Amino acid sequence: MTVRIHHIGLSKERLGQIPAAERNLFVLLGHAANEVGVLAKLFHYCAGNHSEEPILEKAEHTQALLLARLLTGKIYEFWNLLQTGYFRSVLSRTYHDALDDEARSALDAMKRYFGQDNLVARVRNGHAFHYDVQQIENGFQTVLESEPLDICLSEPNANSLYAFADTIAGRAMLEAICPSDPEKAFAMLISEIPCCRLDQHHHGRTYDEVS
């Protein structure tokens, strides 16, 4: 399958013709979109791996939950950028009517989602960038006696894995999403982050750049 890529060439001169407020928001939105896109692809890839080797399976699980936390944090910050740089500025009044129906609908959906208690905010505020002792205690109390809690050590530190720690920290995060049902919580994490629903067959495609 061939993916067509439309190339748009910019220059400092052309960007400099855009008023500073619009230009800065444009740059930040592109930067944030790149970060969310990369993290979403990595999360999708790690969450879809199912190794039959127990040690590799633990590593994949740890990587997936780490990326999920970072991804939700970036999505939350993306939303904050839209609030400060667009909704709360004159730009929203200037450009709202110029947006097509799909774009306005998407922005309205984001406002509804973030205007109430939501999974992204819960994960970001409690797990993405904070080390909360009480959250860990909550996670520890829900770990089953039968669950393996392992440490894998190697002289090269890059190959060491404190799997037990992320089993407990991951359980704390999943409990905050859906108590007593970690599988459902993980499914909710994927379903509530639309950018994670990527085409699972993207590998092996060829790319055709279109000017």
Side-chain angles (χ1 to χ4, degrees):
M1 179 178 179
T2 298
V3 176
R4 293 176 64 83
I5 297 178
H6 298 271
H7 174 254
I8 300 173
L10 299 175
S11 67
K12 184 176 181 180
E13 180 183 4
R14 292 179 68 182
L15 287 171
Q17 294 171 1
I18 303 173
E22 284 95 325
R23 182 176 64 247
N24 293 335
L25 179 61
F26 182 44
V27 172
L28 278 173
L29 288 174
H31 175 58
N34 287 338
E35 292 191 327
V36 169
V38 169
L39 287 171
K41 291 174 186 176
L42 291 172
F43 172 55
H44 177 84
Y45 178 80
C46 290
N49 281 346
H50 300 287
S51 176
E52 295 182 1
E53 171 59 48
I55 293 178
L56 293 179
E57 184 180 23
K58 294 179 190 299
E60 291 164 357
H61 184 71
T62 298
Q63 290 171 345
L65 290 179
L66 167 62
L67 290 164
R69 292 192 295 271
L70 293 177
L71 178 57
T72 54
K74 283 296 183 180
I75 291 173
Y76 188 86
E77 294 306 314
F78 204 148
W79 169 244
N80 283 342
L81 169 61
L82 283 175
Q83 289 191 90
T84 58
Y86 182 72
F87 291 118
R88 295 175 185 169
S89 76
V90 69
L91 297 182
S92 63
R93 295 191 294 274
T94 302
Y95 288 99
H96 179 77
D97 291 339
L99 298 175
D100 60 26
D101 291 340
E102 184 178 1
R104 285 197 294 269
S105 177
L107 288 174
D108 288 342
M110 290 183 69
K111 286 192 286 188
R112 287 194 300 272
Y113 180 82
F114 285 101
Q116 59 186 348
D117 177 58
N118 61 84
L119 181 153
V120 169
R122 271 180 278 148
V123 172
R124 184 269 180 192
N125 292 332
H127 306 275
F129 303 111
H130 304 88
Y131 297 118
D132 188 322
V133 172
Q134 186 55 53
Q135 292 283 9
I136 293 301
E137 177 62 21
N138 295 341
F140 176 75
Q141 293 300 330
T142 62
V143 171
L144 302 176
E145 289 290 343
S146 59
E147 288 189 67
L149 299 173
D150 302 324
I151 299 176
C152 303
L153 296 177
S154 172
E155 285 194 21
N157 189 56
N159 293 326
S160 294
L161 179 65
Y162 303 93
F164 80 98
D166 270 86
T167 295
I168 296 170
R171 180 57 63 86
M173 181 183 75
L174 296 175
E175 280 292 308
I177 297 172
C178 183
S180 304
D181 196 338
E183 290 187 7
K184 182 178 179 180
F186 195 73
M188 289 173 62
L189 186 62
I190 295 175
S191 67
E192 289 200 26
I193 303 177
C195 58
C196 291
R197 298 197 291 270
L198 305 175
D199 189 337
Q200 299 188 33
H201 306 290
H202 66 281
H203 300 291
R205 287 180 174 173
T206 58
Y207 292 86
D208 176 24
E209 183 178 283
V210 179
S211 298

